[in-house]
């Protein structure tokens, strides 16, 4: 029994782990609101369960899925695109796609499907795209796989394992816009296998040996418009003329990718030209020519058919025996009708003058990424060369002198468009000569630091992006479009230089701001691309950018590429979503308000201080602090006076002639301290007051109306009061020289009020008979 329980527990744990894994993998698929689900490169082992019924596009490519069950996609009834490419799928249940009636795009490429079943595709009545490339099946099923796919437009089949193409493989298909077949190892082709398709516009064929190429070509010739051969060896190709009505052929383009060809093979390829339409494009990409240019094209019909070629495209052509190559002069008389030539990345350094002169119909010439120099260009653009040329592209060559280029191209009277980008020019001269019809000039990625009048004034389009320009000050009266992106400009160009400008691209510079006035100065501007700059998100700039609804019609990269660079707290935020605080947006008004508030506060403080004698209290506080620094009790040896006399200057007559004379001539005499006589000259008056009180045994206050009005008398009174409380003694003597009503004493003299209420004071009698008693009481009070 325990063994059974153990087994049940293990099974339960395994099921739980599987369910948890399923939930984790389902959560790794991201679905947006439009029904697009992305599970690309998520290391999924199976199709996640629980996908919503609203899913319209499901990408599960580049995972580790091995199996598709009938229940995996049952709920996805609205699915329109399913991508299962680059997985490890080796089995698909028969009814796995039963509910996918709306599916239009199915990618099962590069899996491990050994067998294909027609039951998979039977429910897919809406299917337009099907990719079965890269699976290891040997045949396309026992019966026709695609007979029910009446809406199929693009089909990709085949692999390195398929060895035959059968007539029934494509039976039932009516019209294909594109058919791609990987027949790299094709060994058997049943006649009319591709002819069973009623109409094929484009055939892309991977085929190493061209043994069956002619049979395939004949089967699809009546409907084919575009033939592309990939990875083909045409060294031994032989084409025999076929009996077909050439007037019904529709081929407009031949493309050869990664094809090896010899001189003899090229001669055979030319035999395909009679079956092409009157305007033919021929493209060679990543091809190798194992020959020396010994072409035999002297047949009259061949010459006629060569003249059908209007566009010749050659990219990355490799000629191992280039230095033994013929001069191609035999071809000169057959290329007069070519209108467009593109030769890229093929190490071209010279177009002979004689060849250029024979290209009388040439309108478009692209020699990008080659080895062209100014000296060789002079030979190529010789007199009467390229008489019809309108567009010349010399991008990414070895050009260094703008002046020499302009002089060389003066022979091209009809030249309107010139692209010399991705070269490295020396400093631009002040003036240059150019063909008179120049309208378009591309100088992007040329490391120029400044612009001069060397730039032709006739231009309508100028591209000077990806350079080191910090300003634009050229007058361009006809310019309609300017691309000056990725430079170092700090402001928009002056609109007066560009009166006809319609489009300006100035993204990726160091522009901090622009205004409505600047935009309005460009009278005809209807398109502006200015994102990716270092915008200072000031309140004015934000208000302008956010409130002007018409800007969205002009700024083609708004709002995604408009980010704040400063202030630092909003760096990286979108301009559209940025909002600054009131303090940042109304700083001037805020500072003005604060200054006004501060001024009112100071004014109120001054008024209150004046009304409540605040200044006087501050002086008292300072004096009190000065007094607190002194010792609480002066040493006995420092007492020099019997009394310090505090009085008003207006009462000096009574003090000096009556009281002082009486006390200092008494026997024994009293030693009094008077400010007129005993204060130390040059010493601060408050320090004199403090020192005098500290060095006196008593302090005598001669009170009168004059005393109350004297500020210094009040200091002396306060210092004495500090001493009275701090030392807990009775050092103050009050003499009332004349009657003083308490209500006349200002409120700020609270200490004087308190002392008059708590201390006994001597009152000077007007009766002479009582004055002797006053003197006796005063002497007694001083001595006590």
């Amino acid at each position: 029994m325990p063994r059974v329980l153990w087994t049940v527990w293990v099974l339960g744990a395994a099921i739980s782990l599987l369910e948890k894994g399923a939930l984790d993998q389902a959560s790794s698929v991201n679905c947006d609101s439009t029904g697009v689900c992305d599970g690309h490169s998520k290391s999924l082992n199976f199709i996640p369960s629980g996908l919503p019924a609203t899913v319209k596009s499901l990408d599960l490519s580049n995972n580790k899925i091995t199996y598709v069950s009938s229940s995996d996609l049952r709920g996805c009834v609205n699915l329109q695109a399913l991508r299962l490419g680059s997985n490890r799928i080796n089995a698909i249940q028969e009814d796995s796609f039963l509910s996918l009636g709306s599916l239009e795009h199915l990618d099962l490429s590069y899996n491990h499907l050994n067998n294909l079943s027609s039951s998979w595709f039977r429910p897919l009545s809406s299917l337009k795209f099907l990719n079965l490339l890269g699976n290891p099946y040997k045949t396309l099923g026992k019966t026709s796989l695609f007979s029910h796919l009446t809406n199929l437009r693009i089909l990709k089949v085949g692999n390195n394992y398929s060895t035959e193409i059968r007539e029934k493989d494509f039976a039932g298909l009516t019209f294909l816009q594109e058919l791609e077949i990987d027949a790299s190892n094709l060994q058997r082709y049943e006649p009319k296998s591709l002819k069973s398709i009623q109409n094929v516009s484009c055939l892309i064929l991977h085929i190493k040996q061209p043994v069956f190429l002619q049979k395939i070509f004949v089967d699809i010739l009546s409907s084919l418009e575009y033939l592309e051969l990939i990875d083909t060896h045409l060294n031994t190709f032989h084409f025999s003329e076929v009996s077909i009505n050439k007037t019904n052929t529709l081929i407009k383009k031949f493309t050869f990718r990664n094809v090896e060809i010899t001189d003899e093979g090229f001669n055979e390829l030319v035999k395909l030209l009679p079956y092409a339409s009157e305007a033919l494009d021929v493209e060679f990409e990543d091809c190798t020519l194992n020959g020396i240019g010994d072409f035999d094209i002297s047949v009259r019909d061949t010459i006629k058919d060569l003249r059908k070629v209007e566009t010749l495209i050659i990219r990355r052509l490799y000629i191992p025996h280039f230095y033994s190559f013929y001069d191609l002069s035999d071809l000169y008389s057959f290329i007069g009708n070519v209108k467009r030539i593109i030769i890229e990345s093929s190490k071209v350094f010279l177009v002979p003058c004689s060849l250029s002169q024979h290209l009388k119909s040439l309108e478009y010439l692209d020699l990008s990424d080659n080895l062209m120099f100014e000296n060789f260009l002079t030979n190529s653009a010789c007199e009467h060369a390229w008489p019809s040329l309108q567009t010349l592209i010399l991008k990414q060559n070895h050009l260094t002198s703008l002046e020499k280029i302009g002089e060389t191209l003066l022979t091209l009277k009809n030249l309107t468009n010139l692209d010399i980008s991705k070269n490295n020019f020396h400093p631009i001269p002040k003036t240059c000569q150019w063909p008179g019809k120049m309208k378009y000039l591309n100088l992007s990625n040329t490391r120029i630091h400044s612009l001069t009048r060397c730039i032709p004034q006739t231009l309508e389009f100028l591209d000077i992006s990806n350079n080191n320009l910090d300003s634009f000050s050229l007058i361009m009266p006809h310019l309609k479009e300017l691309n000056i992106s990725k430079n170092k400009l700090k402001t928009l160009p002056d609109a007066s230089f560009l009166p006809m400008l319609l489009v300006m691209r100035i993204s990726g510079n160091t522009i901090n701001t622009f205004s409505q006035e600047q935009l309005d100065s460009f009278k005809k501007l209807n398109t502006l691309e200015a994102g990716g700059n270092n915008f200072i998100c000031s309140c004015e700039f934000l208000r302008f950018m956010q409130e002007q609804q018409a800007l969205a019609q002009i700024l083609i990269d708004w709002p995604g590429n408009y980010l704040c660079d400063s202030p630092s707290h909003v760096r990286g935020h979108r301009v559209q979503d940025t909002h600054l605080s009131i303090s940042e947006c109304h700083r001037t008004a805020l500072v003005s308000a604060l200054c006004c508030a501060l001024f009112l506060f100071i004014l109120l403080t001054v008024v209150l201080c004046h009304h409540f004698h605040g200044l006087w209290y501050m002086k008292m506080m300072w004096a009190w602090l000065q007094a607190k620094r002194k010792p609480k009790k002066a040493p006995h040896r420092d007492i020099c006076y019997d009394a310090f006399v505090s009085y008003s200057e207006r009462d000096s007559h009574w003090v000096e002639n009556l009281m002082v004379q009486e006390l200092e001539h008494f026997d024994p005499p009293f030693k009094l301290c008077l400010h007129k006589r005993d204060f130390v000259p040059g010493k601060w008056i408050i320090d004199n007051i403090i020192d005098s009180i500290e060095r006196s045994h008593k302090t005598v206050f001669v009170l009168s109306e004059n005393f109350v009005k004297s500020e210094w008398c009040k200091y002396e009174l306060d210092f004495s009061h500090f001493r009275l409380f701090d030392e807990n003694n009775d050092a103050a003597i009050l003499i009332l020289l004349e009657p003083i009503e308490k209500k006349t004493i200002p409120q700020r003299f609270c200490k004087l009020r308190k002392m008059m209420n708590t201390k006994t004071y001597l009152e000077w009698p007007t009766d002479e008979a009582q004055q002797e008693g006053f003197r006796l009481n005063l002497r007694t009070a001083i001595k006590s």
Side-chain angles (χ1 to χ4, degrees), residues 148-191:
H148 300 284
L149 303 179
T150 56
N151 290 309
L152 195 63
R153 294 295 177 266
I154 299 176
L155 176 62
K156 300 175 183 288
V157 295
N159 51 63
N160 291 327
Y161 304 95
S162 301
T163 59
E164 63 177 347
I165 297 177
R166 303 169 303 174
E167 186 176 358
K168 63 182 178 181
D169 288 341
F170 303 102
L173 292 175
T174 56
F175 172 70
L176 286 179
Q177 293 177 346
E178 180 180 321
L179 173 61
E180 182 173 353
I181 303 176
D182 186 351
S184 301
N185 293 320
L186 185 64
Q187 298 177 12
R188 179 173 175 269
Y189 177 79
E190 288 187 10

Side-chain angles (χ1 to χ4, degrees), residues 200-202 220-221 223-227 250-254:
V200 179
S201 296
C202 171
I220 46 87
L221 190 57
S223 63
L224 193 66
E225 295 182 6
Y226 174 34
L227 175 63
L250 302 172
I251 294 180
K252 298 179 180 178
K253 183 173 182 180
F254 288 111

Side-chain angles (χ1 to χ4, degrees), residues 77-118:
V77 294
N78 295 307
L79 193 63
Q80 297 177 4
L82 175 61
R83 295 174 177 85
L84 292 171
S86 301
N87 277 279
R88 302 174 183 177
I89 300 172
N90 53 47
I92 300 175
Q93 283 192 342
E94 296 294 316
D95 56 350
S96 296
F97 304 142
L98 186 62
S99 61
L100 305 183
S102 300
L103 193 67
E104 298 179 357
H105 184 110
L106 177 59
D107 185 355
L108 294 171
S109 60
Y110 300 99
N111 280 286
H112 298 166
L113 296 171
N114 292 301
N115 298 292
L116 303 177
S117 173
S118 61

Side-chain angles (χ1 to χ4, degrees), residues 490-504:
K490 296 181 179 180
T491 61
L492 297 180
D494 192 334
S496 61
F497 298 153
L498 307 165
M500 303 298 291
L501 194 66
L502 300 175
V503 178
M504 178 163 59

Side-chain angles (χ1 to χ4, degrees), residues 383-550:
E383 192 70 26
H384 306 299
W386 307 324
S388 302
L389 191 66
Q390 298 176 8
T391 299
L392 176 61
I393 300 177
L394 296 171
K395 177 173 60 178
Q396 200 169 346
N397 278 273
H398 295 273
L399 306 175
T400 57
S401 174
L402 204 60
E403 184 177 16
K404 288 185 178 179
I405 293 173
E407 292 177 359
T408 300
L409 300 182
L410 287 175
T411 58
L412 308 179
K413 305 300 182 182
N414 293 307
L415 186 68
T416 58
N417 300 341
L418 177 62
D419 184 348
I420 48 177
S421 61
K422 294 186 177 180
N423 286 283
N424 187 8
F425 291 112
H426 297 312
I428 301 178
K430 292 183 179 180
T431 58
C432 298
Q433 290 181 300
W434 295 96
K437 295 182 179 181
M438 283 274 292
K439 302 296 183 184
Y440 176 105
L441 178 61
N442 191 338
L443 281 171
S444 62
N445 287 282
T446 52
R447 301 184 182 180
I448 56 177
H449 291 78
S450 61
L451 297 175
T452 67
R453 294 185 64 84
C454 176
I455 306 299
Q457 301 294 298
T458 58
L459 292 180
E460 294 181 1
F461 180 98
L462 176 62
D463 187 347
I464 45 176
S465 59
N466 283 281
N467 284 297
N468 298 311
L469 302 172
D470 55 14
S471 64
F472 184 93
S473 55
L474 285 180
I475 298 176
M476 306 292 290
H478 306 290
L479 197 67
K480 295 180 180 179
E481 183 169 344
L482 171 64
N483 187 350
I484 198 169
S485 300
K486 296 182 180 179
N487 280 279
K488 299 178 181 179
L489 272 71
K490 296 181 179 180
T491 61
L492 297 180
D494 192 334
S496 61
F497 298 153
L498 307 165
M500 303 298 291
L501 194 66
L502 300 175
V503 178
M504 178 163 59
R505 306 180 191 278
I506 198 167
S507 59
N509 281 273
T510 58
I511 296 174
N512 293 326
T513 186
F514 54 86
S515 63
Q516 183 68 54
E517 291 74 19
Q518 286 179 298
L519 293 185
D520 290 342
S521 62
F522 293 93
K523 303 298 183 182
K524 298 188 177 183
L525 188 68
N526 56 36
T527 301
L528 176 63
E529 182 182 304
N533 281 286
N534 302 331
F535 291 115
I536 297 177
C537 287
S538 63
C539 300
E540 294 78 10
F541 180 70
L542 290 177
R543 189 180 305 111
F544 161 59
M545 296 295 288
Q546 294 172 2
E547 293 179 359
Q548 296 292 330
Q549 301 297 328

Side-chain angles (χ1 to χ4, degrees), residues 161-390:
Y161 304 95
S162 301
T163 59
E164 63 177 347
I165 297 177
R166 303 169 303 174
E167 186 176 358
K168 63 182 178 181
D169 288 341
F170 303 102
L173 292 175
T174 56
F175 172 70
L176 286 179
Q177 293 177 346
E178 180 180 321
L179 173 61
E180 182 173 353
I181 303 176
D182 186 351
S184 301
N185 293 320
L186 185 64
Q187 298 177 12
R188 179 173 175 269
Y189 177 79
E190 288 187 10
K192 300 182 180 180
S193 292
L194 291 178
K195 198 169 186 178
S196 62
I197 308 175
Q198 297 177 17
N199 201 331
V200 179
S201 296
C202 171
L203 175 62
I204 302 173
L205 190 61
H206 303 251
I207 183 170
K208 288 184 179 179
Q209 300 301 330
V211 178
F212 304 103
L213 180 58
Q214 181 167 330
K215 292 182 179 180
I216 295 173
F217 183 73
V218 170
D219 282 352
I220 46 87
L221 190 57
S222 61
S223 63
L224 193 66
E225 295 182 6
Y226 174 34
L227 175 63
E228 180 175 339
L229 295 180
I230 301 177
D231 302 328
T232 307
H233 296 166
L234 296 177
N235 299 331
T236 59
F237 175 59
H238 179 74
F239 185 82
S240 301
E241 187 173 352
V242 296
S243 58
I244 189 172
N245 188 355
K246 299 178 182 179
T247 60
N248 294 331
T249 57
L250 302 172
I251 294 180
K252 298 179 180 178
K253 183 173 182 180
F254 288 111
T255 297
F256 305 92
R257 300 188 194 279
N258 194 26
V259 170
E260 290 188 13
I261 190 170
T262 60
D263 292 344
E264 294 78 9
F266 181 82
N267 292 333
E268 294 297 317
L269 277 183
V270 172
K271 295 179 180 180
L272 296 175
L273 299 183
Y275 304 95
S277 63
E278 291 302 319
L280 178 65
D281 296 350
V282 180
E283 179 177 358
F284 297 90
E285 185 170 321
D286 295 307
C287 294
T288 301
L289 177 57
N290 290 311
I292 57 174
D294 186 11
F295 305 135
D296 182 13
I297 53 174
S298 58
V299 182
R300 181 179 299 275
D301 291 339
T302 303
I303 296 173
K304 176 183 176 182
D305 294 328
L306 272 174
R307 291 176 177 173
K308 291 182 177 181
V309 178
E310 285 195 352
T311 301
L312 175 63
I313 302 174
I314 300 174
R315 293 188 176 95
R316 297 176 293 279
L317 176 65
Y318 175 53
I319 306 176
H321 307 292
F322 171 76
Y323 293 103
S324 300
F325 210 78
Y326 281 25
D327 62 1
L328 301 181
S329 57
D330 291 340
L331 292 174
Y332 289 177
S333 60
F334 314 136
I335 56 179
N337 293 334
V338 178
K339 294 183 178 180
R340 290 173 294 277
I341 295 180
I342 300 174
I343 305 178
E344 294 181 359
S345 307
S346 299
K347 298 183 179 179
V348 175
F349 60 88
L350 174 67
V351 180
C353 176
S354 55
L355 176 59
S356 299
Q357 290 172 341
H358 279 89
L359 293 170
K360 297 184 181 300
S361 299
L362 189 64
E363 298 174 357
Y364 183 99
L365 177 60
D366 184 350
L367 297 174
S368 299
D369 192 17
N370 284 290
L371 303 175
M372 298 294 294
F373 291 84
E374 284 88 351
N375 294 336
F376 298 148
L377 182 62
T378 302
N379 185 279
S380 300
C382 58
E383 192 70 26
H384 306 299
W386 307 324
S388 302
L389 191 66
Q390 298 176 8

